[in-house]
Amino acid sequence: MKTLTKKNNKSISYAKWGYIFLIPFFTIYIVFSLVPIVSTIYYSFFENYMSGLKQIGPSFIGLENYKSILFESDLPKYAFNTLFIWIIGFIPQIVVSMTLAIWFTNMRLKLKFTSFFKTVIYMPNLIMAAAFAMLFWALFSDIGPINNLLIALGYEPYSFMLEIKGTRGLIALMNFLMWFGNTTILLMAGIMGIDSSIFEAAQIDGANAWQTFWHVTIPSIKPILVYVFLTSLIGGIQMFDVPQILTNGSGGPNRTSMTMIMFLNKHLFSKNYGMAGALSVILFIVTAILSVIIYNNLTEKDSNLSNTSIKTKGGAK
């Protein structure tokens, strides 16, 4: 008995070691995420900026920074710029990614070199956004290869950086090229996870390709689509490096390419920490609200269908 008691006392407590291994994560999270978030919220209620070489504040001013941001700044214009550029980049991204994902996972087509093409379409995602923006700036500048090609073909040169459509189009194109490969891989994973017997049942029932796609594929990968949509929306709200470098921080022409994070960066660059904190909190709240609304709307139907199905089965009994 004594021997068994000694063995039990020496047994390893896996739960204890689990908590110990979690300590580094929570330490890093608290130091580098939680503390900055709390300090940002705290300083958003203070007047705290540099006027020349003179430091103004920090002095508590309540909600004045929030009032200035919401009612006295060009935040609505920058919010429209951000949303518009994200939409014109996201729509072709999801269409092309869905098309490629269906092609690559379709066993009837028997496409060759699919691994090579998957690697190629994912490569732009590995390039730094700053390098990608510099490349496009060099290609589409007034004396760049694209304008030289237009002139050689007999067309008038087009100043992409001075036209609203040109600048916004280039930013959307870069976002599309950088992320459509990643979206394709995610959608492929979702489609490959569908049970093949469901497709076979649909074919036996006489469903054509479009009906199979709309009534089988889309509902089955809906969680993946919601994830792609939400992460893309959050990434769109955080859009910064590509328009910042392409327009040299001006958001030109006439600030029509200025995004909300570029606006935030201007406050940080001018060391107006109170306004920057208030704008950060506003963006955090807007992002959270949009995410909750989209998630609830896109998943509500599934919950209702499940509840209806359960009730129907209960009634049949």
Side-chain angles (χ1 to χ4, degrees), residues 25-41:
F25 166 76
F26 282 106
T27 304
I28 293 173
Y29 173 77
I30 290 171
V31 173
F32 293 103
S33 295
L34 187 61
V35 172
I37 290 173
V38 174
S39 64
T40 299
I41 297 173

Side-chain angles (χ1 to χ4, degrees), residues 243-255:
Q244 173 77 12
I245 294 173
L246 191 70
T247 64
N248 198 22
S250 65
N254 194 25
R255 295 177 295 149

